[in-house]
Amino acid sequence: GQNIDQPTEMTATEGAIVQINCTYQTSGFNGLFWYQQHAGEAPTFLSYNVLDGLEEKGRFSSFLSRSKGYSYLLLKELQMKDSASYLCAPKEVMDTGRRALTFGSGTRLQVQP
Amino acid sequence: DADVTQTPRNRITKTGKRIMLECSQTKGHDRMYWYRQDPGLGLQLIYYSFDVKDINKGEISDGYSVSRQAQAKFSLSLESAIPNQTALYFCATSDITGNEQFFGPGTRLTVL
């Protein structure tokens, strides 16, 4: 996704809070997803925002501003197991006219003791 | 048992060989997808299928072909493998909303 921008790497401390930002430019925007991917493993779904605002799910929250083309993922009470890549994926209209996800390059988060 | 399975999990092949990667799902989903992931990069969509007779090219379909043999099966072929197709390949499924996608464990392909 060349029209998706998120930081390449972030480092945070166990127990802290971290915010991972994502900006995007898409055609026919239809929602934004966040996925978590541990090294060498399959991505797993974290959150989905289709309307502006904050969606909270346990330690993880995701925010969306459609007018600004901006989203963030907020991770609270960080644990060592949260060390992973976090992929921002807006849902947009493809060249075929169908909607599908376009994934960003991901932010590799390292949680330190 | 896993809902989305991929075979093989690892494959090493030579330039010019034809390779088929297979994906099966037991989730009853209509939609299936093939992605590739290069080291340190995100997922790039190769092909996607919204049902057995509906197949669409993704961002990087050149050099690849697919077959949707049944609702539960979606295979990816490399007609003549080349080294820059060395990557991790993921299959995924979703229901008709196209929202949450469920990924298989991945196939690590190396083309020498």
Side-chain angles (χ1 to χ4, degrees), chain B residues 1 3 9 15 21-22 38 45-46 50-51 57 61-63 65 69-70 79 96 98 106 108-109 112:
Chain B
D1 288 340
D3 294 318
R9 294 293 312 279
T15 297
L21 309 183
E22 299 190 1
D38 296 276
L45 184 61
I46 307 172
F50 280 8
D51 67 38
K57 292 183 177 180
S61 59
D62 288 349
S65 62
Q69 301 96 321
E79 298 301 326
I96 196 169
R108 188 170 297 279
L109 177 67
L112 301 175

Side-chain angles (χ1 to χ4, degrees), chain B residues 36-80:
Chain B
R36 69 174 276 175
Q37 186 173 39
D38 296 276
L41 298 181
L43 298 160
Q44 293 177 282
L45 184 61
I46 307 172
Y47 271 95
Y48 56 110
S49 171
F50 280 8
D51 67 38
V52 175
K53 295 181 180 179
D54 184 356
I55 294 178
N56 304 277
K57 292 183 177 180
E59 306 166 73
I60 55 162
S61 59
D62 288 349
Y64 301 95
S65 62
V66 291
S67 174
R68 185 82 184 267
Q69 301 96 321
Q71 186 203 38
K73 296 184 183 296
F74 192 35
S75 60
L76 176 73
S77 293
L78 287 68
E79 298 301 326
S80 179

Side-chain angles (χ1 to χ4, degrees), chain A residues 1-108:
Chain A
Q2 55 263 42
N3 295 323
I4 302 167
D5 190 31
Q6 49 182 132
T8 303
E9 292 187 0
M10 298 182 71
T11 302
T13 304
E14 193 175 13
I17 299 173
V18 70
Q19 178 174 312
I20 302 174
N21 296 321
C22 172
T23 57
Y24 61 88
Q25 291 179 310
T26 61
S27 301
F29 179 79
N30 191 231
L32 188 137
F33 296 77
W34 284 94
Y35 280 79
Q36 180 190 60
Q37 185 179 25
H38 286 97
E41 297 182 9
T44 55
F45 170 81
L46 285 179
S47 70
Y48 170 50
N49 294 67
V50 64
L51 299 176
D52 289 352
L54 189 68
E55 294 280 342
E56 297 186 76
K57 192 190 269 189
R59 293 189 300 114
F60 293 6
S61 303
S62 56
F63 172 84
L64 176 67
S65 169
R66 290 172 296 173
S67 62
K68 295 181 179 178
Y70 169 68
S71 174
Y72 67 73
L73 181 69
L74 192 71
L75 292 75
K76 303 177 185 176
E77 301 170 14
L78 281 172
Q79 302 176 8
M80 298 299 290
K81 67 179 181 180
D82 297 330
S83 293
S85 288
Y86 292 86
L87 308 176
C88 171
K91 189 176 180 183
E92 61 175 335
V93 177
M94 310 298 283
D95 291 344
T96 56
R98 302 302 185 93
R99 288 195 171 91
L101 301 188
T102 299
F103 284 84
S105 299
T107 297
R108 189 160 61 247

Side-chain angles (χ1 to χ4, degrees), chain B residues 13-25:
Chain B
T13 191
K14 295 182 179 179
T15 297
K17 294 290 188 180
R18 185 177 188 275
I19 297 297
M20 179 180 286
L21 309 183
E22 299 190 1
C23 177
S24 295
Q25 53 113 347

